[in-house]
Amino acid sequence: MIRSLFAAVVLACAFALPAAAQAPKLPPNVDPQNTIIMQTTKGPVIFVLRTDIAPKHAERIKKLAREGFYDNVPFHRVIDGFMAQTGDGQYGNGTGGSRYPDLKAEFSNVPFKRGTVGMARASSPDSANSQFFICFGDASFLNGQYTVIGQVVSGMENVDKLKRGEPVQNPDKIISMKVASDVK
């Protein structure tokens, strides 16, 4: 009797997955090979990589995502009205990068606006490595000075919910980040 009750509870729990544990549905007309699904502590965020304007940066993001580099990485710098920055899988505080060399800038004329994903860098234009940011609104003062790598196509409301700070105290995190074509 106890064994069958236990089995029934286990079976019921197995089919009651929370929505956050399920892969979000991709918007129509996006290429899963160049789309990132980022599960955050505030919910899913999906962004499409701009391989047409920043192919080397897009490849780096995919490579690091496939290695699990971004999993459990905090949003260490979140400035209200400007952007949310993450991607320091080395130290988690904005001072680190990956084991790969920095990338040469791939600047374009694509504007920084709400939902634009850009590569963070140091003072050198050719110093982007693993960190990236998502714009909350117009950031046209970055145009032509930072590499645009993508555009959020779903979940921007979850980016809006991230805790603010510079640095953020008890920050929200990327729980996992995957290339959409790898999600089964």
Side-chain angles (χ1 to χ4, degrees), residues 78-84 110-118 133-143 148 150-152 156 159-160 164:
V78 183
I79 303 170
D80 202 31
F82 178 29
M83 59 87 203
V110 174
F112 283 87
K113 60 184 182 177
R114 181 168 170 77
T116 298
V117 183
F133 58 90
I134 302 171
C135 295
F136 289 121
D138 175 67
S140 55
F141 57 91
L142 301 176
N143 292 353
V148 171
Q151 182 66 40
V152 172
M156 194 61 199
V159 178
D160 290 336
R164 306 305 201 255

Side-chain angles (χ1 to χ4, degrees), residues 25-89:
K25 186 175 179 185
L26 293 180
N29 303 320
V30 299
D31 174 9
Q33 295 288 334
N34 293 305
T35 301
I36 298 294
I37 298 175
M38 184 169 56
Q39 293 289 350
T40 74
T41 48
K42 295 300 186 196
V45 177
I46 299 173
F47 62 91
V48 175
L49 293 168
R50 295 293 308 266
T51 58
D52 57 328
I53 59 171
K56 290 183 175 124
H57 288 75
E59 282 306 312
R60 172 67 56 85
I61 294 291
K62 291 191 299 186
K63 179 181 213 145
L64 292 173
R66 286 182 166 129
E67 292 176 0
F69 181 85
Y70 294 113
D71 297 354
N72 296 308
V73 172
F75 285 89
H76 64 272
R77 185 172 175 233
V78 183
I79 303 170
D80 202 31
F82 178 29
M83 59 87 203
Q85 186 173 335
T86 186
D88 178 2

